[in-house]
Amino acid sequence: MFSTASPAAALSGTTGLAAAHAVSCGEQPVLNTLVGIRNRLAALKKDRGNYFRPNEIVGMYNELLQQVRVLQNVRTTEHHDNDTFKNRVDSVLDECFQLFSLFYLALGKNKEVPATYVQLVTIKQNFELFNETGIYTDADLEPFQLRLQEIRQLIDHEKKMASEDQSDGPRPEIRLVSRRLRQCETELAALEETTRVIGDSLMPIYEELVFIRRRLTALSILPHDTAVAEAKELQKRLIEIDDTRVDDRFVNPEDGSLAEGQTQVVGLLEECFDRLHDLMVEGSTVPADMMPIYERLTDVRVQLEKLLLTSRWTLRETDLWSYQVQLQEIDAMRHNGQFKDATGEPAPQQAQAALNFLLHKCYNLVYKLLSSSEPVAESLMPVHNQLRTLRRCLLEVKKYGGPLSARDLYPYQMKLSSIDNLRTDGKFLDDEGHIPEGQGVVMSLLNECYDLMYELMASEVDE
């Protein structure tokens, strides 16, 4: 069985884990082939003049799986088939799987196992930062929990299908994604346990303190005068919360008994006061030797936020790879969750807060972009987007348009007809005559537009 390096390790290529084990003669041909596949994927990713061809991507993916089988056999023979053994082969393999995962999303194959790999990598990155900062609520974990349940159902279904086929066992990517999934589920359980011990009476206070703690972190990247003005308002609220304690403890309002979750809530309250003090004293300035990292993270954040606004028209899922690489390279600069300055000492608390805030924000934006990916091939996205826009227009007309004449409805009818005429034998085809993924989604939108049009036509008035 092969193992996978951590995302950061997979991209640095020079970590201690990767350097701990040399690539054996038996693994060298596998590494050479994997590097070739990765380079071909990188070249395909840069080609924006053509749509990705499903047959080409799936064919290359099968090449990758063949190399994984060879690697498994080599490591079994060399007695390196445990989860702790890692070298450069694992790093390149991880890169390949992440890239293929993005390609599968771009092809609209969202419900296939390979598409889940990069999402699991991103979820784990978010969990690790939640664990480091301790700033989260159940509401923050819920979207990740739901997505992990969906992936678990998909994996279990694939395993069941493999057992019914009486094959040699699940495909190699099932083992790989299952391991990633288990890691995420374990971290999720640990995160949930932290909030589970907080009683109902303390939960509103805990959630408000999480909000204040996040806001204090966000203030660390603002100009000092602006940050301090808002920090003083937050300070007043912290004092009000602190005053509700009785003998330094939170109690239940009904009977005065000790509220459950003292350790977590009191600890967070004290941390908020500490961060508030740091903000007032140190200010929000990032040291000069930390500015390159700060500016790089800020630039990535701005670009990702723009993509979030325009993703429906401009995003090609494989574009996210460059952001993943940048973020994981920056993440690899940290030691025990802290950025070090030029002297090797931990940066000031406010600088740490600012940089970790930006890093977590960027990871979260990447996950949102991956989650918003429609199960529609990019060759079908122009039609999909036109239908979504037309549906929105028809809904607005239905809501605010009032009585309409046949002349008023004519432009919408023409647009709907022009889209419908793009079909061949009831299917939307790509430029090469193939049937791209996402037919069901697009046909559902088309039918909804027709239903809206019929409703409007039924209520039209004579001119």
Side-chain angles (χ1 to χ4, degrees):
M1 182 180 293
F2 62 93
S3 56
T4 55
S6 66
L11 291 158
S12 64
T14 57
T15 63
L17 283 174
H21 299 286
V23 178
S24 69
C25 295
E27 291 186 16
Q28 190 61 49
V30 175
L31 176 61
N32 295 340
T33 304
L34 291 178
V35 170
I37 292 173
R38 183 190 61 184
N39 292 342
R40 287 157 61 193
L41 289 173
L44 273 177
K45 181 177 69 69
K46 294 177 182 178
D47 181 10
R48 302 194 67 87
N50 299 290
Y51 292 128
F52 299 138
R53 296 181 177 87
N55 291 342
E56 183 177 10
I57 301 301
V58 173
M60 291 173 63
Y61 185 70
N62 288 330
E63 289 181 39
L64 178 71
L65 296 185
Q66 181 59 38
Q67 293 305 309
V68 170
R69 294 185 181 96
V70 174
L71 179 61
Q72 289 175 336
N73 293 333
V74 170
R75 289 194 171 173
T76 300
T77 303
E78 297 178 352
H79 305 292
H80 293 155
D81 54 343
N82 60 78
D83 285 354
T84 60
F85 183 87
K86 295 179 178 68
N87 59 20
R88 185 163 179 254
V89 179
D90 299 283
S91 302
V92 178
L93 185 63
D94 185 78
E95 292 181 20
C96 289
F97 270 106
Q98 288 195 54
L99 276 166
F100 272 116
S101 188
L102 292 170
F103 273 100
Y104 266 65
L105 288 172
L107 292 172
K109 296 179 178 292
N110 299 43
K111 298 186 183 300
E112 297 189 25
V113 171
T116 65
Y117 187 86
V118 72
Q119 296 176 57
L120 289 170
V121 169
T122 310
I123 289 172
K124 190 171 187 297
Q125 291 160 345
N126 277 278
F127 283 173
E128 288 171 350
L129 286 168
F130 277 141
N131 187 48
E132 288 174 10
T133 62
I135 311 173
Y136 62 90
T137 65
D138 289 339
D140 297 316
L141 299 178
E142 186 176 1
F144 299 107
Q145 180 189 46
L146 293 174
R147 183 57 187 145
L148 289 178
Q149 289 175 354
E150 292 172 354
I151 296 175
R152 168 59 65 191
Q153 291 173 359
L154 176 62
I155 295 298
D156 290 345
H157 175 71
E158 290 293 328
K159 288 181 177 178
K160 181 181 178 182
M161 294 293 290
S163 63
E164 290 177 354
D165 291 342
Q166 297 182 343
S167 59
D168 295 333
R171 288 160 62 95
E173 76 269 27
I174 300 295
R175 299 177 184 175
L176 180 65
V177 174
S178 294
R179 188 181 300 115
R180 286 282 186 187
L181 180 58
R182 288 195 300 272
Q183 292 170 352
C184 289
E185 289 173 336
T186 300
E187 295 204 24
L188 175 63
L191 293 170
E192 289 177 329
E193 184 61 30
T194 301
T195 59
R196 191 175 292 119
V197 299
I198 301 173
D200 293 340
S201 62
L202 270 187
M203 187 56 74
I205 294 176
Y206 174 77
E207 291 176 348
E208 185 174 4
L209 288 174
V210 168
F211 169 78
I212 292 174
R213 178 68 179 83
R214 279 182 177 155
R215 191 58 200 155
L216 288 170
T217 302
L219 291 178
S220 64
I221 64 174
L222 298 179
H224 185 53
D225 293 341
T226 304
V228 168
E230 184 174 342
K232 289 180 179 178
E233 295 299 317
L234 296 175
Q235 183 181 38
K236 293 177 183 178
R237 182 55 189 150
L238 286 174
I239 293 173
E240 290 174 359
I241 293 174
D242 195 24
D243 288 343
T244 63
R245 293 199 285 173
V246 178
D247 296 330
D248 293 331
R249 297 188 177 188
F250 290 101
V251 297
N252 291 311
E254 297 84 5
D255 55 11
S257 61
L258 197 65
E260 296 179 349
Q262 294 288 317
T263 303
Q264 286 78 8
V265 179
V266 172
L268 184 55
L269 176 62
E270 292 175 352
E271 187 179 350
C272 286
F273 274 118
D274 290 342
R275 289 291 176 265
L276 183 68
H277 176 267
D278 293 338
L279 184 64
M280 297 288 198
V281 175
E282 295 181 9
S284 52
T285 304
V286 175
D289 55 351
M290 295 279 99
M291 282 305 294
I293 300 176
Y294 174 81
E295 291 172 352
R296 191 175 174 188
L297 282 170
T298 301
D299 183 55
V300 171
R301 177 191 176 184
V302 169
Q303 292 181 52
L304 289 171
E305 286 177 338
K306 287 180 180 178
L307 276 177
L308 200 60
L309 292 174
T310 63
S311 59
R312 185 149 56 92
W313 298 276
T314 62
L315 178 66
R316 200 179 201 183
E317 282 79 0
T318 50
D319 295 341
L320 295 175
W321 175 244
S322 62
Y323 299 108
Q324 280 281 76
V325 170
Q326 292 183 68
L327 291 175
Q328 292 168 351
E329 285 176 349
I330 293 171
D331 203 348
M333 297 177 187
R334 301 192 303 156
H335 301 275
N336 297 322
Q338 292 188 320
F339 289 96
K340 300 294 182 71
D341 60 21
T343 64
E345 295 296 319
Q349 284 297 325
Q350 284 308 109
Q352 295 285 353
L355 294 173
N356 282 313
F357 168 76
L358 286 171
L359 180 62
H360 196 174
K361 183 71 174 178
C362 291
Y363 274 141
N364 199 33
L365 287 168
V366 170
Y367 177 73
K368 285 182 178 179
L369 286 164
L370 288 171
S371 300
S372 65
S373 176
E374 295 276 1
V376 178
E378 61 171 346
S379 58
L380 203 52
M381 283 305 293
V383 175
H384 177 266
N385 292 337
Q386 289 180 63
L387 284 171
R388 284 190 59 172
T389 302
L390 179 58
R391 180 187 62 177
R392 186 167 62 249
C393 291
L394 291 173
L395 287 170
E396 291 296 312
V397 169
K398 180 182 176 182
K399 186 175 182 180
Y400 301 110
L404 298 170
S405 66
R407 180 178 296 177
D408 295 327
L409 295 175
Y410 183 71
Y412 303 108
Q413 289 177 296
M414 286 295 294
K415 183 60 179 176
L416 186 56
S417 178
S418 68
I419 295 174
D420 198 358
N421 289 337
L422 296 175
R423 293 193 292 166
T424 302
D425 295 330
K427 302 286 186 182
F428 290 99
L429 306 181
D430 61 20
D431 294 340
E432 297 181 355
H434 299 138
I435 302 175
E437 297 282 341
Q439 297 290 322
V441 174
V442 175
M443 286 303 301
S444 176
L445 280 171
L446 181 64
N447 291 333
E448 187 177 352
C449 287
Y450 269 120
D451 290 342
L452 287 167
M453 181 62 68
Y454 291 145
E455 287 182 39
L456 292 170
M457 290 173 63
S459 61
E460 70 181 33
V461 296
D462 295 331
E463 298 186 39

